[in-house]
Amino acid sequence: MTMDNQTQEKLKAIKRSFFLRMDGTASRSMREKGLDYKINWGVSIPDLRQMASQYGKDYALAIALWKEDIRECKILATMIMPPEEMLPEIVELWMEQTPSQEIAEMAAFNLYQHLDYAPVMAFQWIASDNEMEQICGYNLLSRLFMKGQEPNERGIQEFLDQALTALQSPSVSIRHAAMNSVQRFASLGDDYAQISESALKTLNLGIF
């Protein structure tokens, strides 16, 4: 059996297993909240993590899973893609094909925060006019700040400039993601908290 056939068999087995773990109530609730996937089995994130642990990191399988227009396949792809093997052009392609806020958040948490070039992608996305890219970018920065990564002086100014603009966005999702990232930025230390407070005061906002 060739590697391609092995990947195809794994993909078939995974898709069959979704049926056994399906949750119609969860799927229906997601649709009512606007998460409208072509196929959504309502499988829980803990169940998907358990499945990911069974397969381990697998580049070919992650690529195959992402191509499926199925909620669970895309989330699982972010869990099993080896970060060290993911090239920037693949990240850009996945970002273009991200169908929902849930997938954007899962990708940032499960995969993008572990990329060596994560800060570059994050700053690129928060400067975008695309809602999904901004949401993913701010979620990614939140994860990086939580890991203690500090931007340089130029990065601080760029981040706060973009965040203040995002906090005035008509999109609730963008505003929420931006505020979370500012709060994570402020948690880096007293100096960062003071900078954040000063910036937010221009919009009559506070950190918490």
Side-chain angles (χ1 to χ4, degrees):
M1 181 181 287
T2 67
M3 187 60 187
D4 283 347
N5 286 337
Q6 289 177 355
T7 299
Q8 193 63 32
E9 289 303 313
K10 289 178 185 177
L11 180 60
K12 288 179 181 178
I14 288 171
K15 290 165 73 173
R16 284 195 299 268
S17 70
F18 290 153
F19 180 77
L20 301 176
R21 292 178 167 87
M22 67 181 291
D23 185 332
T25 301
S27 177
R28 184 165 55 254
S29 175
M30 289 180 205
R31 284 198 302 273
E32 292 171 353
K33 294 175 182 175
L35 294 174
D36 191 17
Y37 300 96
K38 182 177 180 181
I39 299 177
N40 178 0
W41 294 103
V43 179
S44 71
I45 299 302
D47 277 348
L48 291 173
R49 292 200 188 287
Q50 192 268 333
M51 292 177 65
S53 68
Q54 291 178 355
Y55 287 93
K57 298 299 182 183
D58 188 326
Y59 177 88
L61 183 57
I63 292 294
L65 284 163
W66 184 264
K67 290 178 180 178
E68 298 290 326
D69 195 5
I70 300 172
R71 168 185 173 268
E72 288 76 9
C73 283
K74 290 197 182 297
I75 294 175
L76 198 55
T78 69
M79 293 177 174
I80 68 172
M81 170 63 80
E84 67 277 5
E85 295 183 38
M86 196 173 198
L87 299 175
E89 51 264 37
I90 301 298
V91 175
E92 291 177 359
L93 178 63
W94 280 27
M95 189 68 255
E96 289 174 9
Q97 297 172 344
T98 298
S100 71
Q101 181 177 340
E102 181 188 27
I103 301 299
E105 293 172 350
M106 285 286 100
F109 179 79
N110 295 326
L111 178 59
Y112 298 156
Q113 67 163 313
H114 303 298
L115 301 173
D116 290 339
Y117 50 91
V120 175
M121 302 306 299
F123 276 93
Q124 176 181 314
W125 289 336
I126 65 171
S128 168
D129 292 329
N130 181 280
E131 180 176 14
M132 210 60 66
E133 290 186 2
Q134 288 190 57
I135 290 170
C136 191
Y138 285 114
N139 272 276
L140 179 52
L141 283 175
S142 290
R143 302 309 307 181
L144 297 178
F145 294 150
M146 289 175 70
K147 292 163 71 173
Q149 293 193 29
E150 304 176 17
N152 57 28
E153 186 174 346
R154 179 180 176 183
I156 290 172
Q157 191 60 54
E158 181 179 351
F159 164 66
L160 290 175
D161 285 347
Q162 295 293 349
L164 290 178
T165 299
L167 288 169
Q168 301 172 75
S169 169
S171 167
V172 175
S173 297
I174 289 178
R175 295 200 305 271
H176 180 71
M179 181 55 83
N180 279 345
S181 69
V182 173
Q183 291 172 344
R184 299 301 184 188
F185 173 78
S187 70
L188 286 170
D190 290 342
D191 289 344
Y192 295 97
Q194 291 175 9
I195 293 171
S196 301
E197 284 279 14
S198 178
L200 290 176
K201 280 182 181 178
T202 64
L203 298 180
N204 293 318
L205 296 172
I207 293 179
F208 300 105

